[in-house]
Amino acid sequence: MSHERMVNAVLGWPADPGLSPADLEQIILRLTGAAHVVADDVRHAAEQLTDGQTARTRAAAVLAEAWHRLAADRQETVACARDRARLVRTLYEHLDHLALDFPSSLDLQSRHG
């Protein structure tokens, strides 16, 4: 399942999706991995911008928040899964903004699903 499809599925869950703890743990692990991958893409894109550009500064702030959230203890809860899904979505949105704002200066070929 692609990152986007997983994010949409998790964010569309009812309050209790009826998953086993093991299934929930696996989903959270996949979302955590996806967040790391997309954060790396954002970092790579931001490094291609010159120091002092607002977009580079904004990317640094987004990444700092992402690393802070990823460093938090992971809990096998629906709330944690949704938080990771929202984080992945936010990182993809930021990556998209970088690509739209600086298409000629960034090499943003999608390396991940």
Side-chain angles (χ1 to χ4, degrees):
M1 179 182 284
S2 74
H3 297 161
E4 183 179 0
R5 286 181 51 211
M6 185 181 308
V7 165
N8 290 336
V10 169
L11 294 178
W13 282 348
D16 179 5
L19 297 170
S20 72
D23 288 341
L24 191 54
E25 179 182 18
Q26 287 303 308
I27 291 166
I28 292 167
L29 286 172
R30 288 192 61 186
L31 287 167
T32 299
H36 281 282
V37 166
V38 184
D40 187 51
D41 287 348
V42 171
R43 181 194 52 76
H44 174 73
E47 287 173 349
Q48 296 177 57
L49 301 174
T50 59
D51 285 338
Q53 278 187 286
T54 303
R56 187 170 180 160
T57 304
R58 189 174 39 227
V62 167
L63 288 171
E65 175 64 19
W67 297 132
H68 173 75
R69 288 168 64 184
L70 287 168
D73 286 339
R74 196 177 62 242
Q75 302 171 7
E76 279 68 36
T77 64
V78 171
C80 182
R82 285 190 176 125
D83 181 63
R84 297 294 161 107
R86 284 189 294 272
L87 177 58
V88 172
R89 182 179 60 191
T90 297
L91 288 165
Y92 266 122
E93 288 170 354
H94 194 73
L95 190 61
D96 289 346
H97 286 297
L98 287 171
L100 289 173
D101 292 344
F102 302 96
S104 62
S105 62
L106 299 180
D107 173 22
L108 294 179
Q109 291 184 356
S110 178
R111 300 178 303 198
H112 312 287

